[in-house]
Amino acid sequence: MPGHDGHDLVVVANRLPVDITLDDDGKVGWKRSPGGLVTALEPVMQKSDGAWVGWSGGPDLEVEPFDADDMYLVPVTLSADEIERYYEGFSNDTLWPLYHDVIAPPAFHRQWWDTYRRVNQRFADAAAAQAAPGAIVWVHDYQLQLVPRMLREQRPDLRIGFFNHIPFPPLELFQQLPWRRAVVDGLLGADLIGFQRAGDASNFIRAVRRLTDYTTRGPIITMPDANGKPGRHVRAASFPISIDSNHFDQLARTPEVQARAKEIRADLGDPDVMMLGVDRLDYTKGIRHRIKAYGEILQDGRLDVGHATLVQVASPSRENVGAYQDLREHVEGLVGRINGEFGEIGHSAIHYLHHSYPPEEMAAMYLAADVMLVTSLRDGMNLVAKEYVAARSDDRGVLVLSEFTGAADEMSSGALLVNPHDIDGMKDSIVAAAHMDHREQRRRMRRLRRRVLSDDVAKWSDSFLGVLTAMPSRSEYV
């Protein structure tokens, strides 16, 4: 711990912004993890002498706090059992499916909840120990929904923000959670609760009205003080996240990336139309619906493998969770069937890639793709859609975008919006995208790029922290 009274800004997230390694001598090494959150927060953390509290990434990995990239990192240790119950269990087999419209059935286990609560307390304790008097603490995402209240009970002097990166479900779904009131009360420990979409904030306000007797007025919830009288206010509002769009724009302009884009198309046999899907292998992403639609387009003869191909990047995700194992088997079986039925020598219908790729390779794929398919069944935002637009400085390409993504709220004027459950409608949009003339592509892409390049991730973090800082302090309520 540095020799002062703590940090003026503390970020609390499930993971640290680096991957930690230990050599045979027990010496700590680290490698920066790619991600928009660290890109957004690194400058403000360095300016504020910030600390980042997060899980180190492996089981039973006990590491003392250390400096990396001018940030002070505070690792939280989790046992293998806690990873199984808190992370793989309650976070990703209870909350994740529940918050994504129950696309897969959530599992409710009391042992998972007990571990979730215990781990959240550990994160709250670590944050409380790092925060200077009156500091800002910004808690992130569904894994840590109990932390704001736990933190406020220890440190009422703090200004606490929470941002939910995934959707917040309608009340009718949220009520299924046996611990629904505890989650609501946990979040209400914050002064400002941010969501991706206005609808998510409304869902949360509605849950507060139904499950508590707190007074609400628009986006403001009034919390009672110790005497039951009106006390501090909590604001729930939307702050749509973005990407480091200028960096991605510049990356896609480099000669190396542009040369790689041409090489990718050549390796695919220089198709007239290259379509691209880039997703974590997750049942919320609509990969099966997309592949089914594409297979039917080939079957209908509206496109053929001699002139069109689909590249599907499906990066590994949560491979210890049963629903994800089942999804992988289903997707790979579907790809194999379509390739077997429609593929030709030298022309595959679908090129399926179960890997993760660095940003340079992704930028090259975006530049190579004529059509980007983002067909999520439910998504808090979907930053892939924004990365594709940021990479297209040539004003070419077509974005086919699910209306059930947060990105659809911002990109409806330039994208082709689809309902991924409507297979026939999605087929029509995919075919329309494949045949769209260059003038129409340019008109749509310019609209998209104006939005994405102006509303970048730095603007998002500045906006959230600006509102949080402007919230009245406790002394202003009395």
Side-chain angles (χ1 to χ4, degrees), residues 436-470:
M436 187 178 291
D437 67 70
H438 293 163
R439 181 179 298 178
E440 178 70 5
Q441 288 185 30
R442 190 159 48 247
R443 184 179 67 83
R444 289 174 172 271
M445 187 56 69
R446 283 177 175 171
R447 285 182 187 168
L448 291 171
R449 282 178 60 79
R450 278 196 297 270
R451 184 65 183 261
V452 170
L453 292 174
S454 62
D455 290 345
D456 65 1
V457 72
K459 185 174 178 180
W460 167 78
S461 61
D462 289 346
S463 174
F464 185 95
L465 291 173
V467 173
L468 178 58
T469 303

Side-chain angles (χ1 to χ4, degrees), residues 17 132 184 225 232 297 304 329 366 376 432-433 455 468:
V184 166
D225 64 15
R232 67 183 181 89
I297 288 170
D304 66 81
E329 289 182 13
Y366 294 145
S376 309
D455 290 345
L468 178 58

Side-chain angles (χ1 to χ4, degrees), residues 177-212:
L177 185 67
W179 310 280
R180 59 202 185 186
R181 176 61 192 264
V183 168
V184 166
D185 282 336
L187 292 171
L188 288 173
D191 297 292
L192 177 62
I193 308 171
F195 299 92
Q196 299 280 25
R197 310 179 83 169
D200 297 324
S202 297
N203 287 343
F204 177 72
I205 292 287
R206 190 166 170 237
V208 171
R209 287 179 184 147
R210 178 66 65 87
L211 301 174
T212 78

Side-chain angles (χ1 to χ4, degrees), residues 176-398:
Q176 295 181 28
L177 185 67
W179 310 280
R180 59 202 185 186
R181 176 61 192 264
V183 168
V184 166
D185 282 336
L187 292 171
L188 288 173
D191 297 292
L192 177 62
I193 308 171
F195 299 92
Q196 299 280 25
R197 310 179 83 169
D200 297 324
S202 297
N203 287 343
F204 177 72
I205 292 287
R206 190 166 170 237
V208 171
R209 287 179 184 147
R210 178 66 65 87
L211 301 174
T212 78
D213 56 2
Y214 303 144
T215 301
T216 64
R217 185 173 182 179
I220 303 296
I221 304 114
T222 301
M223 303 296 292
D225 64 15
N227 299 315
K229 296 181 179 180
R232 67 183 181 89
H233 296 320
V234 180
R235 177 181 288 271
S238 63
F239 296 85
I241 198 170
S242 192
I243 61 170
D244 187 355
S245 46
N246 284 300
H247 171 74
F248 223 92
D249 175 50
Q250 293 303 315
L251 180 64
R253 293 175 187 269
T254 62
E256 295 81 6
V257 167
Q258 294 190 353
R260 176 60 184 146
K262 293 177 181 177
E263 186 179 340
I264 288 170
R265 290 190 70 98
D267 289 345
L268 294 171
D270 283 320
D272 293 337
V273 181
M274 173 187 162
M275 301 193 179
L276 177 64
V278 176
D279 313 88
R280 283 188 310 104
L281 189 58
D282 189 293
Y283 49 76
T284 66
K285 301 300 183 181
I287 301 172
R288 286 179 291 193
H289 297 64
R290 178 188 313 156
I291 291 174
K292 176 180 173 63
Y294 189 70
E296 289 189 12
I297 288 170
L298 296 177
Q299 187 172 27
D300 297 343
R302 300 171 75 181
L303 293 173
D304 66 81
V305 296
H307 299 90
T309 193
L310 169 62
V311 176
Q312 175 62 57
V313 177
S315 57
S317 177
R318 299 169 188 161
E319 296 185 291
N320 293 328
V321 178
Y324 290 77
Q325 296 167 353
D326 295 343
L327 174 66
R328 180 178 178 180
E329 289 182 13
H330 192 160
V331 167
E332 292 180 354
L334 194 57
V335 169
R337 182 185 66 76
I338 292 172
N339 276 337
E341 189 168 348
F342 299 106
E344 301 172 355
I345 293 175
H347 297 286
S348 290
I350 302 173
H351 297 263
Y352 176 75
L353 307 169
H354 188 55
H355 310 289
S356 296
Y357 292 96
E360 295 80 7
E361 183 72 1
M362 292 314 310
M365 287 193 188
Y366 294 145
L367 266 181
D370 302 289
V371 178
M372 185 78 215
L373 302 178
V374 178
T375 59
S376 309
L377 305 180
R378 191 75 166 92
D379 227 334
M381 178 52 63
N382 196 288
L383 297 180
V384 164
K386 295 189 175 184
E387 289 178 354
Y388 178 69
V389 169
R392 298 311 301 241
S393 58
D394 58 356
D395 292 334
R396 296 281 291 274
V398 185

